[in-house]
Amino acid sequence: MQNVHSYKYAVIIPARNEELVIGQLIKSIKNQKYPEVLIDIFVVADNCTDDTAQVAKKAGAIVRERFNKSQVGKGYALDYILKIIESEYSSNKHDGYIVFDADNLLDENYITELNKTFNQGYRVITSYRNSKNYDQNWISAGYALWFLHEAEYLNLPRMVLNTSCAISGTGFLIQADLIKENGGWIHHLLTEDIEFSVSQIIKGEKIGYCRNAIFYDEQPVTFAQSWHQRLRWAKGFYQVFYKYGKDLIGNTFRGKRNRFSCFDMTMMVMPAVLISSVCIVVNGLFYLAIFLGIFDGKELTHAASVGILYSISWYYGVLYILGLITTLTEWRKIHCSGWKKITYTVTFPLFMLTYIPISVVALFKHVEWKPIAHTVVKSLDDVR
């Protein structure tokens, strides 16, 4: 059996007004079945107006406060704390940085499992994203089911095919040397996680996935929160495509390394642009035709209605099957009553279809990063 070296990690938590939940995350880190001397916990209390810094210090983290109203966003907070670690704690000789959001909770074997994958030579690793509040309503379940699908039906197959995965906002590990090569955290688009993934894949990096490193994430529960968050994600995908699309497509056809990974990432960031463009063009032609009287209004309306209903039914069916299969294979890991698990497979397609208007609006609307309040105060035992 191959020996597994135990590396030293700095766990980094960017937090903005997270006094309710950050204590439980730090507790779950301290309860890891991994040598405590090999884990340092750093919290950057970013533009906080509550007691996040005090709660984090009391829980045992090294805390730095940051106040900057012009450079707002997780990317700036990450770069700030990484520079502090490099300048003030370089003697600790961290081998890697593990990044979490303040509302997360870790399975007690999380770092042990992540360390095993790190030993395989991956310099960037993502993990299995579960949910703290799957059973709260159809919106939180919609998010959670998608992240489970992303983990086991996107990232796992990528690992099997020996191609690159992608990090997803939280629950990821980056080798310290890679951060130095990168010049810190230099990614500040609205979806800094996808920007980082794409930029590294273009350079030839292969991102790994550790399915046994499980953490729990809090999902939004109101449609307003969900709308604003996914609007930011949609806008961020456009930004990534506009900035890196040329290189991604170029590497797909002419690159020497990671050609399939570049194709995969192109397909991940491009569809939202295509769907939105098609919707706008089709609707524009539809209303123009009626206005000019080119077609008989009743016949056109009937044909269009039948076509729309058929398309929606087809998309609903595909998304339902996707959600059902994910629910069945991840059944034991979904902490929710059985009847709710089945019910949320029915509402999952509705959640996903709301991405269509979000993608259209994101094309034209100016979007800024805004924090989402986290209020689900649970321990790991409560979740499970």
Side-chain angles (χ1 to χ4, degrees):
M1 185 176 178
Q2 184 180 4
N3 291 328
V4 177
H5 178 74
S6 295
Y7 290 96
K8 186 163 187 176
Y9 300 108
V11 176
I12 298 176
I13 309 167
R16 182 165 181 179
N17 294 337
E18 303 282 12
E19 63 179 3
L20 292 177
V21 295
I22 196 167
Q24 290 291 347
L25 168 59
I26 295 172
K27 181 180 178 181
S28 72
I29 297 170
K30 288 186 168 294
N31 287 341
Q32 289 294 294
K33 294 180 179 179
Y34 192 81
E36 188 175 354
V37 295
L38 298 180
I39 304 173
D40 292 328
I41 306 171
F42 295 89
V43 171
V44 50
D46 187 33
N47 289 308
C48 290
T49 57
D50 67 354
D51 292 330
T52 295
Q54 290 73 22
V55 172
K57 287 177 184 176
K58 186 176 180 180
I62 300 167
V63 181
R64 292 291 184 275
E65 295 185 78
R66 174 183 180 270
F67 297 96
N68 190 321
K69 299 298 184 182
S70 59
Q71 295 181 328
V72 177
K74 184 177 177 179
Y76 293 108
L78 279 174
D79 191 53
Y80 176 82
I81 195 66
L82 283 167
K83 284 180 168 57
I84 287 176
I85 294 172
E86 184 178 353
S87 62
E88 298 181 24
Y89 296 91
S90 59
S91 60
N92 290 20
K93 298 181 179 179
H94 300 110
D95 297 295
Y97 304 113
I98 307 175
V99 180
F100 295 109
D101 288 341
D103 58 292
N104 297 163
L105 291 173
L106 310 189
D107 178 86
E108 56 268 13
N109 295 306
Y110 183 93
I111 295 180
T112 298
E113 295 297 335
L114 203 63
N115 184 70
K116 292 177 183 177
T117 305
F118 197 45
N119 269 268
Q120 296 175 20
Y122 290 98
R123 301 205 300 169
V124 185
I125 305 168
T126 189
S127 53
Y128 186 100
R129 189 173 186 173
N130 210 324
S131 177
K132 286 168 63 175
N133 60 330
Y134 193 106
D135 64 345
Q136 200 158 356
N137 64 16
W138 70 280
I139 296 173
S140 62
Y143 276 99
L145 195 50
W146 171 254
F147 287 132
L148 293 176
H149 170 79
E150 182 180 61
E152 289 295 277
Y153 290 91
L154 294 180
N155 283 330
L156 181 59
R158 287 165 177 159
M159 285 288 282
V160 173
L161 294 172
N162 196 31
T163 185
S164 182
C165 304
I167 67 170
S168 181
T170 181
F172 58 90
L173 163 65
I174 304 175
Q175 186 192 61
D177 289 342
L178 188 149
I179 287 292
K180 291 179 182 178
E181 294 169 12
N182 205 45
W185 189 273
I186 60 174
H187 310 286
H188 303 296
L189 298 182
L190 288 172
T191 48
E192 77 288 328
D193 52 343
I194 300 302
E195 182 188 6
F196 172 81
S197 298
V198 168
S199 68
Q200 293 304 312
I201 288 169
I202 289 173
K203 293 176 183 177
E205 199 69 42
K206 189 178 293 184
I207 299 172
Y209 165 59
C210 181
R211 69 187 311 201
N212 294 322
I214 301 171
F215 75 99
Y216 300 85
D217 191 30
E218 180 182 338
Q219 310 304 338
V221 294
T222 69
F223 191 77
Q225 285 181 328
S226 178
W227 176 277
H228 291 303
Q229 184 183 61
R230 290 187 290 156
L231 188 66
R232 174 174 64 83
W233 290 352
K235 192 72 171 185
F237 271 57
Y238 294 142
Q239 291 175 344
V240 171
F241 181 72
Y242 296 150
K243 184 173 181 179
Y244 298 95
K246 182 179 178 180
D247 290 333
L248 278 175
I249 296 171
N251 281 18
T252 297
F253 294 100
R254 300 186 300 273
K256 296 180 180 179
R257 296 182 297 175
N258 279 6
R259 293 181 64 180
F260 181 79
S261 297
C262 287
F263 168 76
D264 185 19
M265 290 301 108
T266 301
M267 291 299 100
M268 187 173 77
V269 300
M270 184 186 285
V273 179
L274 295 178
I275 291 172
S276 298
S277 300
V278 169
C279 287
I280 292 168
V281 171
V282 170
N283 282 316
L285 292 174
F286 176 80
Y287 289 114
L288 180 63
I290 293 177
F291 178 77
L292 296 176
I294 296 174
F295 301 107
D296 178 80
K298 292 182 179 179
E299 291 181 2
L300 181 61
T301 301
H302 176 73
S305 299
V306 171
I308 290 171
L309 287 174
Y310 176 81
S311 297
I312 291 174
S313 299
W314 190 85
Y315 283 121
Y316 179 93
V318 171
L319 291 168
Y320 174 75
I321 292 171
L322 183 151
L324 179 63
I325 291 173
T326 304
T327 299
L328 293 176
T329 58
E330 306 308 296
W331 186 272
R332 293 184 178 181
K333 294 180 181 178
I334 298 174
H335 302 288
C336 180
S337 62
W339 71 269
K340 283 190 175 182
K341 293 177 188 179
I342 297 301
T343 300
Y344 291 143
T345 63
V346 177
T347 58
F348 176 69
L350 303 177
F351 173 81
M352 295 300 295
L353 286 170
T354 58
Y355 266 110
I356 295 176
I358 289 172
S359 296
V360 174
V361 172
L363 274 173
F364 306 101
K365 185 176 176 62
H366 175 70
V367 182
E368 295 180 348
W369 183 89
K370 294 181 180 180
I372 292 180
H374 295 119
T375 58
V376 180
V377 183
K378 291 183 178 180
S379 67
L380 192 60
D381 290 337
D382 292 333
V383 171
R384 297 189 300 199

